[in-house]
Amino acid sequence: MFHYDLNDLLLLQAISDCQNLTRGAEKIGLTAPSASVRIRKLENALKVKLLKRSPKGVELTSAGKLVVDQSKKVFWTFEGMASSLRPFIRKEEGLIKIFANYGAAVDFLPYDLAEYMTIHTEISFVLEQRPSIDVVRAVSTGEADIGISVCEVIPESLRSFPYHEDRLVAIVPENHPFADRARVDFKELLVFDSVGLSQNCSMQLFLCKKAVDLGLPMKLKVQVDNPNILFEFVSVGVGYAIVSQKTLEKKSPEWKFKTVQLNDPWARRELKIFLPQAKDSETNRLEEFKDYLQSRGYMNSVAGEQ
């Protein structure tokens, strides 16, 4: 039997980090006398000296360093176990965690989730907007139950399914040199001032990367955190912006600007649903939810053709 616990190992790590017993104790909510007692008991249990006094405060002995290094591995193992259990905990709580890129999170999921929850009142959702590459990674690691994004390279650990299709288009002020153009290359726009979304928006990160790839970083005059504000700035002539066709459908008639199609192949956006490769009784709820999302995508595409 072990005559010490994980809190004793956490205390030793904290003292090591702070090189001070009192500050290390405070870091994990203990008093210095209580910490001293715990360290003595730990040393007695392990039958080695773990700390020594120094002009700086306290230092680990060689044995103490070994205990800290090994205990970190123990905590990493526990953290890995906790991470692996998250999907099961969410299942017990009737919770589905979704990671989605900007287009899916803003243009489609609010409507599709609202409809789903009117039928499945027992289900709750956590929706986080992330760049497409982070969406795929999160589903692979179990951080998210399901992901929706644009991703060409699909890891072997995941399955993908079509969801919605959308396009990115340029919107320009009515007095812009390209206002009468039907189509334009993104590179042509980069010499002009632009209005963008905030830097933590996955859509804006994507566009900035495309601009850098072309050797002409975007000339962002203003960045906003709301598409409606973005429409306002373009309408008053600050610069062009890139938005999704779906977002454009929500614009107010009072905003005056022109829409120009983008020639770039990446402007066509195929949103995909990502699920883990493993498929068993634990994932039945996610499979049903995925089928629902796909049906919503089909309904919207049919409606768009009419």
Side-chain angles (χ1 to χ4, degrees), residues 12 16 50 52 59-70:
L12 187 62
S16 171
L50 300 174
K52 60 183 178 182
E59 292 181 357
L60 294 176
T61 64
S62 295
K65 291 176 182 176
L66 177 65
V67 171
V68 167
D69 289 343
Q70 293 298 317

Side-chain angles (χ1 to χ4, degrees), residues 41-265:
K41 287 183 177 180
L42 182 59
E43 289 177 328
N44 291 336
L46 297 174
K47 296 181 172 55
V48 291
K49 195 74 173 172
L50 300 174
L51 296 176
K52 60 183 178 182
R53 296 283 178 182
S54 78
K56 298 178 182 178
V58 293
E59 292 181 357
L60 294 176
T61 64
S62 295
K65 291 176 182 176
L66 177 65
V67 171
V68 167
D69 289 343
Q70 293 298 317
S71 66
K72 285 180 179 177
K73 295 177 183 178
V74 170
F75 287 112
W76 290 337
T77 300
F78 277 107
E79 287 170 6
M81 179 182 71
S83 177
S84 299
L85 287 173
R86 284 175 197 145
F88 297 97
I89 295 170
R90 292 196 291 268
K91 176 179 179 294
E92 293 294 328
E93 295 175 344
L95 182 68
I96 295 177
K97 189 170 186 179
I98 307 172
F99 274 23
N101 72 350
Y102 178 85
V106 173
D107 293 332
F108 298 106
L109 283 172
Y111 311 98
D112 291 350
L113 294 187
E115 181 71 22
Y116 187 82
M117 286 186 286
T118 61
I119 304 168
H120 301 273
T121 56
E122 77 285 3
I123 302 294
S124 300
F125 292 92
V126 172
L127 172 60
E128 295 190 19
Q129 185 216 128
R130 298 291 181 89
S132 288
I133 191 169
D134 290 350
V135 170
V136 171
R137 178 197 55 76
V139 180
S140 295
T141 61
E143 186 180 355
D145 299 309
I146 189 169
I148 301 173
S149 69
V150 177
C151 188
E152 297 303 324
V153 181
I154 303 168
E156 292 183 0
S157 60
L158 299 183
R159 295 173 288 143
S160 70
F161 308 88
Y163 178 40
H164 282 283
E165 185 175 307
D166 198 11
R167 289 194 65 86
L168 298 182
V169 297
I171 55 174
V172 300
E174 290 187 321
N175 62 350
H176 194 277
F178 291 163
D180 295 327
R181 291 269 295 270
R183 310 187 68 85
V184 68
D185 293 332
F186 184 48
K187 188 172 185 176
E188 295 179 85
L189 287 165
L190 291 174
V191 300
F192 297 98
D193 291 338
S194 66
V195 181
L197 293 165
S198 57
Q199 284 290 2
N200 61 353
C201 169
S202 57
M203 164 84 104
Q204 194 59 48
L205 291 171
F206 170 80
L207 291 172
C208 287
K209 183 180 183 305
K210 288 298 182 185
V212 170
D213 290 345
L214 291 168
L216 291 168
M218 296 183 76
K219 299 170 69 174
L220 289 161
K221 296 299 290 182
V222 62
Q223 290 181 265
V224 300
D225 62 0
N226 183 297
N228 289 343
I229 302 174
L230 180 143
F231 288 147
E232 291 276 10
F233 273 106
V234 176
S235 183
V236 297
V238 172
Y240 76 90
I242 305 296
V243 299
S244 74
Q245 189 73 52
K246 188 69 176 178
T247 299
L248 200 56
E249 293 175 5
K250 307 170 197 173
K251 77 178 184 72
S252 168
E254 66 192 44
W255 294 325
K256 305 299 181 183
F257 50 72
K258 296 292 186 69
T259 302
V260 184
Q261 298 296 317
L262 289 171
N263 290 321
D264 304 79

